[in-house]
Amino acid sequence: MTEAANDQGDVVVPNFGVRTTPLGSLLPINFSDIPFSPQRVFIVQDVPPDTTRGTHAHRHCEQYLLLLSGEIHVRMLDGRTETLTILDKPGAGVLLPAMIWGSQTYVHSRSRLLVFASQEYDRSDYIDDFEDFLREKGAYPQS
């Protein structure tokens, strides 16, 4: 695994190295390289090009987004600052902490994302409305 910083330089983004031989490619993942103990894993695929998914935050769940193929643009907003991380090499990934608004734009139809979640699915952990997210973050200016 290698590490890089995001656009702001303040978040460490592990990248898992793909090993390619004439027999194919291997993407090894050690759970110890993920900054939490995964409780759930899922794959997002077959998304039409230029489609944005996510567009929500989690109150408690952290997610580690790992690109399997294609290209995905990950936007994260903490209530004041937005960052963009472009995942364009298999094995590239980014940590999406709790209480960060996230969205992912799938650039190609072949884009595939593997997501590790720190918690099992819990619908009450989701914040789907951006205004509600800003209120919970306390991001609105005080009047």
Side-chain angles (χ1 to χ4, degrees), residues 73-131:
H73 297 181
V74 179
R75 293 191 180 280
M76 294 181 281
L77 178 68
D78 66 4
R80 289 185 168 71
T81 305
E82 183 178 84
T83 61
L84 170 66
T85 301
I86 296 174
L87 305 179
D88 59 0
K89 292 179 182 55
V94 65
L95 176 66
L96 182 57
M99 288 307 292
I100 298 293
W101 187 265
S103 66
Q104 304 84 46
T105 301
Y106 290 69
V107 177
H108 307 292
S109 61
R110 69 182 189 283
S111 298
R112 297 175 63 213
L113 188 67
L114 178 63
V115 180
F116 297 91
S118 66
Q119 297 183 340
E120 293 182 4
Y121 176 79
D122 176 2
R123 187 68 191 121
S124 68
D125 189 54
Y126 284 69
I127 306 171
D128 295 312
D129 182 270
F130 188 67
E131 298 298 317

Side-chain angles (χ1 to χ4, degrees), residues 2 6 29 31 33 60 80 85 100 106 117 120 142:
T2 60
N6 74 354
I29 300 169
F31 285 169
D33 290 332
H60 305 287
R80 289 185 168 71
T85 301
I100 298 293
Y106 290 69
E120 293 182 4
Q142 300 299 318

